[in-house]
Amino acid sequence: MLDNRSEFERVLYDGKFRILLSEEQIDARIRELGKEISRDYRTKNPIMIGVLNGGFIFMADLVRYIEIDLEVDFIKISSYGDATTTSGSVKMLKDINAEIRNRHILVVEDIVDTGLSFQFLTKKFGKFEPASLEFVSLLQKKDNARVDYHIKYLGFDIPNEYVVGYGLDHKQILRNLPSIYVMD
Ligand code: PRP
């Protein structure tokens, strides 16, 4: 029989992937992060810089749980392409437009894995001497770190497994899955 199902449907129905973090778990944690950030940045009018592509859904959900003035901008970088392991070099595909000197900057990532993107962004933004520079990341794979890094606002520590959904892709698709799945 011809199987016309999309990859999206296979993930949901084939049992090849299992849920690591459900929509409800993700939502509850983002709500907490939003509260923390609202408290810490109340008078600071931060610029939140979303890291594309993976961070787009997290960024959109997070800012709606932050109840203070803030600005947004986006940067697009890539080091994995369609591969499952990092190429080791981070390429910038789109820069920010905001003036960040003397501003409070929060970089919003979907995942910090080896830490190479974190290192790249820290160096890049650090040169402009922002008033402060901190990271928010929904996920962290601490066991896979190749460099030292510190995430001030972390959603979840996850094991070193291949995850997709909620912004994270498999060969550019599956970002639109509402939960985060791991391949068994
Ligand atoms: C992913 C993710 C982070 C980075 C983390 O981006 O969005 O930016 O990898 O990995 P690292 O800690 O090993 O550097 P990717 O290059 O896959 O691009 P994408 O966001 O467009 O999927």
Side-chain angles (χ1 to χ4, degrees), residues 52-54 77-80 109-117 169 175:
L52 300 171
N53 287 336
I77 58 171
S78 177
S79 49
Y80 287 73
E109 271 280 24
D110 53 339
I111 185 166
V112 177
D113 188 332
T114 60
L116 294 176
S117 302
D169 72 307
R175 295 189 197 272

Side-chain angles (χ1 to χ4, degrees), residues 51-56 75-83 85-91 93 108-121 137 139 141 144-147 149 167-170 172 175:
V51 183
L52 300 171
N53 287 336
F56 77 112
I75 187 167
K76 180 167 165 132
I77 58 171
S78 177
S79 49
Y80 287 73
D82 288 348
T85 54
T86 181
S87 64
S89 80
V90 182
K91 270 188 232 140
L93 306 175
V108 181
E109 271 280 24
D110 53 339
I111 185 166
V112 177
D113 188 332
T114 60
L116 294 176
S117 302
F118 179 103
Q119 189 180 49
F120 174 89
L121 293 169
S137 183
L139 308 174
K141 282 189 191 172
N144 219 20
R146 291 198 203 166
V147 295
Y149 62 78
L168 294 124
D169 72 307
H170 169 62
Q172 300 307 327
R175 295 189 197 272

Side-chain angles (χ1 to χ4, degrees), residues 73-141:
D73 202 345
F74 294 89
I75 187 167
K76 180 167 165 132
I77 58 171
S78 177
S79 49
Y80 287 73
D82 288 348
T84 55
T85 54
T86 181
S87 64
S89 80
V90 182
K91 270 188 232 140
M92 191 179 65
L93 306 175
K94 179 212 167 289
D95 204 350
I96 54 167
N97 298 104
E99 259 293 335
I100 64 170
R101 189 173 305 277
N102 294 327
R103 297 294 305 271
H104 293 281
I105 305 303
L106 277 166
V107 182
V108 181
E109 271 280 24
D110 53 339
I111 185 166
V112 177
D113 188 332
T114 60
L116 294 176
S117 302
F118 179 103
Q119 189 180 49
F120 174 89
L121 293 169
T122 302
K123 265 191 206 151
K124 177 180 164 49
F125 296 139
K127 281 187 197 142
F128 294 97
E129 300 179 342
S132 66
L133 176 62
E134 299 290 354
F135 277 68
V136 191
S137 183
L138 181 63
L139 308 174
Q140 151 181 284
K141 282 189 191 172

